[in-house]
Structures are given as structure tokens and as C-alpha cells.
């Protein structure tokens, strides 16, 4: 395999992780033991764990709408979030208009608008995260301490089913978004 082929394959594999909520899962895994008191919850722990799940869910959902591009005038990498009118930039410090108009003309901005595929990816990513969060032993012990055999079978098999379904959706409905954290966007 050539160097270019190896680089393309490695970049594609790395970008697959961007379709899934890996960063959000890492944050959740780091915080949930403390917030849930290792699954031995009192009411205060439940009030801490639920907002953690909600905040991580929102991050998962909205990260599907992030995008990036290289500016035409300064070759700087710009990050933003897609809107119904184009892209709103996070790091356009030298702008006059707040939206990167000097880097993108109106036709280029149109290709960064929110599409139906963005919502498919957002809901699939959100579902993957919620299943992962609910299958965490800390969350189970905190919110479902007396789960029966049926619930345990559901918890065992649900992640596999959701993983296959979301992978299928990501394959059938590919996205052109290059959100925050993607590899070298010049390869695409």
C-alpha cells in the first residue's frame, strides 16, 4: 500500500470516530462515577447525574452540526456551526460581519446549510450516547437498582442493535461535514 493510500485509510478511520460520540463518552465516563457516587445514589446524586446525561446529550446532538473549512484569503482553518442560512463561525476574529463573509461568498455559504442528513446523524449520535449512558453500571445502579431479568437482557443486547443501526445509517446517509476534531480536511 502506498503512503497516500495509507494516509487516506488512516484519516478515514480516524474520522469514523468523529461520527460517534467518543469525546462525549470519555467526558461522561470520567464524571459519572463521582456524580453518581459509584452507583450508590442518594437524591443529590440523581440530581447531579441527570443533568450530566442531559448536557452530554446536547453536546452529542449539536456536534453533528459543526463544520470547518480553510479560508480562501488567509488559508486559516475556520470552525463553525451550520445554520439554516449557512455557517456561523466560532473563530473568525478578524471579521467585520461576524460570519466569515470575507472568506466565503454567498454560494459557498449555501453549501454549509443544515440538511436532513445532519438531523439523521445528530439523532443517531444522540441515540448511541443515550444507550451507552443508560448501559453504564453507575447509571443502572443509581436509577434502576432492582432491574429484573428482562431489563438485564435488554441492557445487554440494546447496545449491539443500536450500534448496528447507527452504523447502517451513517453508511447509507454519509455526511460531508468536517466538524471540530477531524483530520486533515485538505484530503477530502
Amino acid at each position: 500500500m502506498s503512503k497516500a493510500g495509507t494516509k487516506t485509510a488512516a484519516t478515514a478511520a480516524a474520522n469514523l470516530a468523529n461520527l460517534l460520540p467518543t469525546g462525549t463518552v470519555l467526558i461522561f465516563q470520567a464524571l459519572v462515577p463521582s456524580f453518581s457516587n459509584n452507583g450508590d445514589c442518594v437524591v443529590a446524586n440523581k440530581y447531579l447525574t441527570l443533568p450530566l446525561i442531559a448536557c452530554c446529550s446536547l453536546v452529542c446532538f449539536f456536534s453533528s452540526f459543526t463544520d470547518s473549512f480553510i479560508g480562501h484569503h488567509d488559508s486559516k482553518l475556520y470552525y463553525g456551526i451550520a445554520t439554516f442560512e449557512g455557517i456561523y463561525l466560532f473563530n473568525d476574529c478578524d471579521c467585520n460581519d461576524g460570519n466569515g463573509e470575507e472568506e466565503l461568498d454567498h454560494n459557498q455559504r449555501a453549501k454549509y446549510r443544515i440538511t436532513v442528513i445532519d438531523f439523521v446523524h445528530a439523532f443517531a449520535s444522540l441515540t448511541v450516547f443515550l444507550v451507552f449512558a443508560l448501559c453504564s453500571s453507575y447509571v443502572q445502579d443509581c436509577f434502576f437498582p432492582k432491574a429484573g431479568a428482562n431489563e438485564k437482557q435488554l441492557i445487554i443486547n440494546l447496545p449491539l442493535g443500536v450500534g448496528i443501526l447507527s452504523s447502517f445509517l451513517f453508511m447509507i446517509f454519509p455526511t460531508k461535514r468536517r466538524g471540530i476534531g477531524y483530520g486533515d480536511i485538505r484530503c477530502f
Side-chain angles (χ1 to χ4, degrees):
M1 189 177 238
S2 69
K3 280 186 176 184
T6 304
K7 182 178 179 181
T8 303
T11 302
N15 289 342
L16 176 61
N18 288 334
L19 296 175
L20 300 171
T22 51
T24 309
V25 167
L26 288 173
I27 291 169
F28 178 77
Q29 282 292 93
L31 296 176
V32 76
S34 177
F35 282 32
S36 69
N37 194 27
N38 293 319
D40 188 22
C41 284
V42 295
V43 175
N45 295 112
K46 289 181 181 183
Y47 284 128
L48 290 170
T49 306
L50 277 176
L52 174 65
I53 293 171
C55 288
C56 289
S57 296
L58 287 172
V59 168
C60 245
F61 185 81
F62 286 114
S63 67
S64 296
F65 299 98
T66 60
D67 211 340
S68 59
F69 68 92
I70 296 176
H72 295 288
H73 297 127
D74 59 3
S75 297
K76 180 181 172 187
L77 183 60
Y78 290 94
Y79 293 107
I81 189 160
T83 66
F84 289 108
E85 296 182 11
I87 188 169
Y88 178 79
L89 298 179
F90 299 138
N91 64 333
D92 192 12
C93 300
D94 62 346
C95 72
N96 298 324
D97 58 6
N99 291 326
E101 287 288 336
E102 67 271 7
E103 296 299 332
L104 294 171
D105 63 24
H106 185 68
N107 293 334
Q108 291 171 320
R109 283 183 54 118
K111 76 177 191 174
Y112 292 101
R113 289 184 181 148
I114 290 177
T115 63
V116 173
I117 291 175
D118 295 327
F119 285 102
V120 170
H121 279 260
F123 282 113
S125 181
L126 175 66
T127 303
V128 168
F129 172 75
L130 287 174
V131 166
F132 179 83
L134 293 176
C135 289
S136 166
S137 63
Y138 301 117
V139 173
Q140 289 175 24
D141 292 343
C142 186
F143 292 102
F144 315 109
K146 296 178 181 166
N150 288 330
E151 291 84 4
K152 289 183 181 179
Q153 281 302 309
L154 183 66
I155 289 170
I156 289 171
N157 293 306
L158 191 60
L160 178 62
V162 168
I164 290 171
L165 178 64
S166 64
S167 296
F168 178 73
L169 286 173
F170 289 150
M171 184 176 65
I172 298 298
F173 302 108
T175 185
K176 295 186 184 213
R177 297 252 179 249
R178 302 289 173 229
I180 296 171
Y182 265 75
D184 186 8
I185 65 172
R186 292 180 182 125
C187 295
F188 301 103

